[in-house]
Amino acid sequence: MTAPARLSIASEYAALLVQFDTWMFDCDGVLWHGDRLIPGVIEVLALLRKNDKKVVFVTNNATKSRRSYKGKFDALGVEAHVDEIFGSAYAAAVYLSSVAQLPKDKKVYVIGQAGLEEELHEEGIAFLGGTDPADALPFDAASFTPDPNVGAVVCGLDTAISYAKYSKAFTYLSTNPDCLFVATNEDSTYPSAHGLLPGAGAISAPLRYALGRDPVCTGKPAKVMLDCVKAKVNYDPKRTIMVGDRLNTDILFGKAGGLATLLVLTGITQEAEINGPGASHIVPDYVTQSLADLRAAA
Ligand SMILES: [Mg+2]
């Protein structure tokens, strides 16, 4: 197993800038932690744009639509355009409409938040559940009438997850073998500004356990996500680099797509996972402490 190249001197960062035309970024743990920007990130993105690099943001965050995610960039003072942003909620909606071709008369039962609902709406997909306050109440099986038009269950991060939502999703999936089961992503944890919290993968886990069935996942590292990027952004994989903080999502995603990969150590993945006896089998091409280190290339 080849070790990743550890970047440290200005000429190495400058060489990277020459070598890659398209820069794909994960966001949480790379650009920011929750609502705290990582210092130096704005300068690096500005440097890339000044050098005519294409910049793409690929996030597994399923709570926000691309449009509301753009609001987060704005609030933190980071330049970004909606067509540069790809989220797992968007990927789930595109998967349902374009890949699975969910019939127009079918609906989706949603475990998730407003961002996921917005992306489904944009793709012309009808849905129920989600932010409906009725689903936050205790579940009453006697008064639940399943909607016969539900043809899919989509599960993303849901901070108002309830037994009622699990019970409804479970009923749709267990009583109809044709009902599609889609998860926005499998992230076990979510890096909030106040530390790690359960991620979208932890939200779908009880359903997988109850059903004995695995969902189709649309976020990183799934190919569906890269297909969504490909449909909108013209890039040469040989001249594209994926920057991320998580080996089993970001780095795996980049490798699966034939892209170069750069791991930053400002997020989930720790030094011990890339060095020594406990090292992961997923090896990035390059490693640097922080995205901010690329300022040395200026
Ligand atoms: Mg991340």
Side-chain angles (χ1 to χ4, degrees), residues 28 32 34-35 64 68-77 190:
D28 272 307
W32 53 63
D35 293 323
K64 291 182 169 70
S68 62
Y69 216 62
K70 159 93 167 78
K72 171 153 193 172
F73 282 87
D74 294 346
L76 292 172
Y190 167 70

Side-chain angles (χ1 to χ4, degrees), residues 281-292:
H281 65 283
I282 305 163
V283 183
D285 296 303
Y286 307 98
V287 180
T288 196
Q289 186 57 42
S290 164
L291 179 58

